[in-house]
Amino acid sequence: MPHSPDLDRLAATVLQPGFEGTAPPGWLLSQLAGGLGGVVLFARNVSPGTAGLVRRLREENPEVVVAVDEEGGTVTRLEAATGSSWPGNAALGLVDDLGRTERTGREIGRLLAATGITLDYAPDVDVNADPDNPVIGIRSFGADPGLVARHAAAWISGLQGAGVAACAKHFPGHGDTVTDSHLALPAVHASREVLERRDLPPFRAAVAAGVRAIMCGHLMVPALDPELPATLSRRVLTGLLREELGFEGLLVTDAIEMRAVAALMPQPQIAVRALAAGADAICVGASSSPGGENVAELREAIVRAVHEGVLDEARLAEAAGRVRGLAAWHERERLTEAGATELDAEHGVSLLGLDTARRALRASPGDGTLVRPVLTRPPLVIEMTARPHQAIGGGVPYGPGEALAALLPGTARTILTPGLHELPELGESPVVVVTHDAHRHAWMAAGLAEILRRRPDAIVIEMGLPGRPVGSVYLATGGSSRVSALAAAEWLTGR
């Protein structure tokens, strides 16, 4: 079937694939020259030469939307090798200082602007209604819709003030789920009234704040559409988001290789049906094949859908226009002088981020008294590490063991994982146990209980959502990042 060059280019414009390596492969450059409208960067693409990489992409297509998932805290790409300089949304919600949240968004925006990024898939504006949620948790500002809405608007204002487009996610709300959408399709079994009261206010606040993009989540929400997940639902994407909430910006899907939707149908069909439902950009994050064959297949499928009458050409043109509109906004708003983030002299991290992490700490004494410094000699640090969910990307360090070792030379460290969690000999040294959402992991809770049975004087640091205080001292960080670890180590040693 002969293709119209204009139609083929429209189909290319709405795709946002990822790729392997720190240099753009030939297939990607060829696709960009042919009109590919977006590229997503992951930790695997980040190096000291990332700004040069982005410039190279724009040599092939000056309008390309370069996106990244930089939330600060546990989800980071540009600082994946060391851990984030900001503690993340939960810590900001705990501190509850809107000016600080806006400045945090601005600092992250400056980091991205210096690299040439167009679009940040952040902030996460989900209301963390279920503490057993395996994929949101401390990525959320909190469990109160009003608090989340206020901080979402502040973060968006800060980021976009640095000339980088924000993307509120995961519409219509991923907070009341117990399933990771990377692995299966979650369902939100709440009434429309509950959704209006709990999940939608942060998205309404984001729209009112002028957010340039919104990401839809791969979610079944029967109160909104009993038949289709949000990504494929015209009722949700067009009826609710466009017509009721009045959103006019770019609507991007979550990655279509995620099992929540990929288990339902092939990726080309997901892309076509999402566009028909009202999406403007298709994120093909981690699954781009070595030669970009799947990107070419998606283009072909979109063009074919138009020829067959499955996808209206005007709808495709509208979607492509919104992608180009975002690129034009970035060209107008991008900073020529991004400005420098004030750094902590000792650690080289954001001074604002470290100060936020310090303010977010919550300490509970197990015996009714709290005397500092808690640690005066080298401890044994036992870090219990769950396998990170795919949004994190794997390998991001979050434990304070390294920071404690720097402050107290001779500190011993051991890491326990789900497949390797035999407890070490505890000895006579002080014991510090680091957990992350211990309430969600049976092996972690059991290991912690056994350590406390042997050493009731153990210190517990919880870097996820806090549970019931246990141990001689229970220190909740409200974040899982480099600065959260540094703040915990400082607090324990009185530095």
Side-chain angles (χ1 to χ4, degrees):
M1 179 187 299
H3 289 176
S4 158
D6 291 341
L7 183 57
D8 190 63
R9 200 169 186 90
L10 289 177
T13 300
V14 300
L15 299 178
Q16 296 186 353
F19 64 96
E20 297 292 332
T22 57
W27 71 261
L28 181 60
L29 297 177
S30 176
Q31 288 281 353
L32 286 166
L36 183 66
V39 175
V40 186
L41 300 184
F42 290 86
R44 63 179 184 259
N45 308 123
V46 172
S47 73
T50 303
L53 163 65
V54 174
R55 286 195 296 272
R56 181 70 185 93
L57 300 177
R58 290 214 164 94
E59 287 175 4
E60 296 297 335
N61 182 358
E63 291 187 311
V64 64
V65 171
V66 182
V68 74
D69 214 343
E70 189 67 47
E71 298 177 10
T74 191
V75 177
T76 179
R77 302 292 183 251
L78 269 64
E79 295 188 302
T82 58
S84 179
S85 292
W86 298 274
N89 286 358
L92 290 167
L94 283 167
V95 176
D96 197 12
D97 177 343
L98 295 179
R100 179 178 296 267
T101 296
E102 182 173 355
R103 293 196 302 275
T104 298
R106 181 68 60 91
E107 284 197 353
I108 292 175
R110 286 173 176 168
L111 174 70
L112 301 182
T115 313
I117 301 296
T118 315
L119 171 64
D120 187 6
Y121 292 154
D124 188 314
V125 305
D126 299 307
V127 177
N128 197 55
D130 191 331
D132 288 332
N133 193 314
V135 72
I136 304 301
I138 56 173
R139 297 169 65 193
S140 168
F141 290 109
D144 176 72
L147 179 140
V148 175
R150 295 193 303 273
H151 285 272
W155 206 98
I156 289 164
S157 177
L159 186 86
Q160 294 190 165
V164 176
C167 180
K169 62 187 182 186
H170 306 81
F171 187 82
H174 207 321
D176 188 18
T177 63
V178 292
T179 302
D180 183 346
S181 51
H182 294 87
L183 307 176
L185 179 60
V188 179
H189 296 292
S191 67
R192 177 62 189 259
E193 292 73 22
V194 170
L195 296 174
E196 286 285 354
R197 183 174 67 250
R198 183 190 65 193
D199 298 280
L200 294 180
F203 290 100
R204 293 185 185 277
V207 172
V211 70
R212 306 303 303 186
I214 287 177
M215 176 180 284
C216 61
H218 301 317
L219 306 163
M220 278 299 301
V221 190
L224 301 178
D225 190 329
E227 298 175 352
L228 294 171
T231 307
L232 310 178
S233 171
R234 184 169 179 81
R235 294 183 189 179
V236 175
L237 302 189
T238 298
L240 177 58
L241 183 58
R242 295 291 189 199
E243 295 172 0
E244 291 190 37
L245 270 64
F247 178 61
E248 298 179 352
L250 182 78
L251 175 54
V252 61
T253 70
D254 211 341
I256 61 171
E257 73 272 12
M258 293 165 64
R259 293 294 296 167
V261 289
L264 303 178
M265 61 190 70
Q267 289 185 28
Q269 190 176 352
I270 296 169
V272 168
R273 294 187 64 172
L275 289 165
D280 303 309
I282 307 298
C283 176
V284 198
S287 66
S288 296
S289 47
E293 293 87 356
N294 65 329
V295 177
E297 184 182 6
L298 289 168
R299 289 179 69 162
E300 291 280 345
I302 294 168
V303 171
R304 186 168 57 251
V306 173
H307 282 300
E308 294 175 353
V310 175
L311 176 62
D312 188 79
E313 185 171 355
R315 167 80 274 271
L316 178 61
E318 177 186 55
R322 288 200 180 103
V323 175
R324 290 193 294 266
L326 186 72
W329 175 88
H330 175 254
E331 182 61 26
R332 292 193 306 270
E333 300 294 326
R334 68 185 179 89
L335 301 181
T336 54
E337 295 292 336
T341 295
E342 189 176 0
L343 299 180
D344 174 78
E346 182 178 0
H347 303 292
V349 296
S350 161
L351 190 60
L352 174 67
L354 183 54
D355 184 65
T356 302
R358 289 167 175 158
R359 291 171 184 262
L361 292 173
R362 299 293 184 269
S364 303
D367 59 4
T369 61
L370 193 59
V371 179
R372 295 180 63 202
V374 177
L375 285 175
T376 57
R377 56 194 178 100
L380 166 63
V381 180
I382 303 172
E383 298 185 12
M384 295 187 173
T385 306
R387 292 187 182 93
H389 56 77
Q390 293 180 39
I392 294 175
V396 178
Y398 71 80
E402 184 177 351
L404 283 170
L407 294 172
L408 295 171
T411 292
R413 301 168 60 201
T414 186
I415 296 176
L416 305 184
T417 65
L420 184 64
H421 51 267
E422 182 177 347
L423 296 179
E425 292 295 326
L426 300 183
E428 300 298 323
S429 298
V431 174
V432 177
V433 189
V434 184
T435 59
H436 191 293
D437 286 348
H439 68 284
R440 289 199 302 108
H441 302 285
W443 72 270
M444 195 180 291
L448 176 59
E450 177 59 20
I451 292 170
L452 291 174
R453 186 187 70 79
R454 299 186 200 175
R455 290 290 301 272
D457 62 334
I459 298 161
V460 179
I461 304 176
E462 172 56 65
M463 302 197 74
L465 293 179
R468 180 177 63 85
V470 292
S472 64
V473 174
Y474 185 84
L475 186 61
T477 63
S480 179
S481 71
R482 185 182 177 197
V483 288
S484 300
L486 289 171
E490 288 177 343
W491 191 92
L492 289 173
T493 58
R495 303 298 175 93

